């Protein structure tokens, strides 16, 4: 397997719901492993996600997990996930699903550099950037 770089998201107890949501958005194969699957069956973390991985038909890989017990998720985000390409319909479809129930910070529209670009934070607090190159939008 070649080396790859992909986002790994940390959640405060709702990783299962978030990863299932991203599967609805992007499609693909979702594998979820709980803490209970790895020997912590009789703990409060048993049903929480220890590791989740979504591999999509477009070649995206997104990983995520719930914070381990005794640690705290930081309130601020120091990252964004960027989706870019030239497939207008595909990227607009992702935008619509990701922004639904979230907050749009930059509307998806033509920008000064000529591409269509937008920024939103989805309903799980994850920030996204979408850039559609060569779009007439």
């Amino acid at each position: 397997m070649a080396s790859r770089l992909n986002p790994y998201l940390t959640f405060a107890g709702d990783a299962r719901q978030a990863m299932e949501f991203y599967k609805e958005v992007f499609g693909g194969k979702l594998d979820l492993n709980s803490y209970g699957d790895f020997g912590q069956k009789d703990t409060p973390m048993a049903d929480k996600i220890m590791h989740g991985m979504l591999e999509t038909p477009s070649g995206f890989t997104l990983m995520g997990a719930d914070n381990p017990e005794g640690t705290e998720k930081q309130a601020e985000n120091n990252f964004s996930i960027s989706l870019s390409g030239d497939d207008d319909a595909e990227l607009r479809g992702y935008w619509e699903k990701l922004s639904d129930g979230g907050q749009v910070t930059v509307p998806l529209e033509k920008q000064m550099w000529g591409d269509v670009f937008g920024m939103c934070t989805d309903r799980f607090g994850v920030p996204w950037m979408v850039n559609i190159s060569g779009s007439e939008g």
Side-chain angles (χ1 to χ4, degrees), residues 1-6 53 55 59 61 63:
M1 171 200 272
S3 297
R4 63 180 166 190
L5 177 71
N6 57 268
M53 183 167 80
E55 294 183 289
T61 300
M63 295 181 184

Side-chain angles (χ1 to χ4, degrees), residues 74-132:
Q74 298 298 314
E76 65 274 357
N77 288 324
N78 59 357
F79 69 93
S80 292
I81 301 175
S82 175
L83 292 170
S84 58
D86 59 7
D87 189 327
D88 189 276
E90 179 182 51
L91 290 165
R92 284 181 189 276
Y94 295 150
W95 171 264
E96 290 302 318
K97 292 175 184 175
L98 289 166
S99 62
D100 184 32
Q103 179 183 11
V104 173
T105 52
V106 175
L108 186 66
E109 59 190 23
K110 189 136 187 156
Q111 301 295 324
M112 65 180 118
W113 60 89
D115 293 349
V116 170
F117 175 83
M119 294 173 61
C120 69
T121 301
D122 70 25
R123 63 185 180 205
F124 294 100
V126 176
W128 295 84
M129 299 183 297
V130 175
N131 191 90
I132 307 170

Side-chain angles (χ1 to χ4, degrees), residues 10-33:
T10 303
F11 298 93
D14 57 358
R16 180 180 309 278
Q17 296 90 333
M19 296 299 290
E20 288 171 349
F21 168 69
Y22 298 134
K23 183 180 188 298
E24 289 174 21
V25 172
F26 298 111
K29 181 177 184 282
L30 176 61
D31 290 315
L32 296 173
N33 301 105

